[in-house]
């Protein structure tokens, strides 16, 4: 599977992986083979590299094959340094704790 990884800076690099490789394997490989053109964005350890596919963080044990990625096509993922993954539905929980309202604050406004 051809994987095009995009950094936050917008820099990209393509890598070739087998469907059996996991997100953790990919992070380790990229860390071990960090591209020269990405030197300004190097990280201290592979464990903080996270893959984002279709807007979702991939856990380290998810394989490319499990994602159903098409063989022979280039798939795009973002690669970001992040210590911890966000909690599932963390934004939904914040909305519920605010009572579900979309107002900016609890104060009422009046036009004078």
């Amino acid at each position: 599977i051809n994987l095009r990884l995009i950094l936050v800076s917008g820099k990209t690099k393509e890598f070739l992986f087998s469907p059996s490789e996991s997100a953790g394997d990919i992070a380790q490989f990229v860390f071990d083979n960090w591209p020269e053109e990405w030197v300004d964005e190097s990280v201290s350890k592979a464990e903080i590299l996270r893959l984002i596919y279709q807007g979702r963080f991939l856990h380290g044990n998810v394989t490319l094959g499990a994602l159903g990625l098409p063989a022979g096509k280039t798939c795009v993922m973002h690669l970001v340094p992040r210590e911890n993954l966000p909690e599932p539905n963390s934004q939904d929980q914040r909305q519920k704790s605010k009572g579900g309202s979309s107002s900016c604050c609890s104060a009422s406004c009046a036009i004078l």
Side-chain angles (χ1 to χ4, degrees), residues 22-94:
S22 69
D25 296 335
I26 293 166
Q28 186 65 55
F29 179 85
V30 172
F31 179 79
D32 292 341
N33 300 278
W34 198 257
E36 285 183 32
E37 58 269 28
W38 290 4
V39 73
D40 294 342
E41 284 128 311
S42 61
V43 294
S44 59
K45 56 186 177 177
E47 292 77 23
I48 66 169
L49 290 173
R50 307 289 183 188
L51 291 172
I52 301 174
Y53 179 62
Q54 294 184 338
R56 298 185 179 195
F57 283 92
L58 300 181
H59 288 273
N61 57 352
V62 174
T63 64
L64 295 179
L67 296 172
L69 301 179
K73 291 191 174 183
T74 299
C75 296
V76 178
M77 293 188 186
H78 289 87
L79 183 68
V80 297
R82 185 168 181 150
E83 287 287 342
N84 300 310
L85 289 177
E87 291 295 319
N89 299 324
S90 59
Q91 189 164 358
D92 293 342
Q93 294 300 325
R94 281 196 298 270

Side-chain angles (χ1 to χ4, degrees), residues 84-106:
N84 300 310
L85 289 177
E87 291 295 319
N89 299 324
S90 59
Q91 189 164 358
D92 293 342
Q93 294 300 325
R94 281 196 298 270
Q95 286 296 332
K96 287 177 185 170
S97 68
K98 288 183 179 178
S101 76
S102 60
S103 64
C104 62
C105 55
S106 59

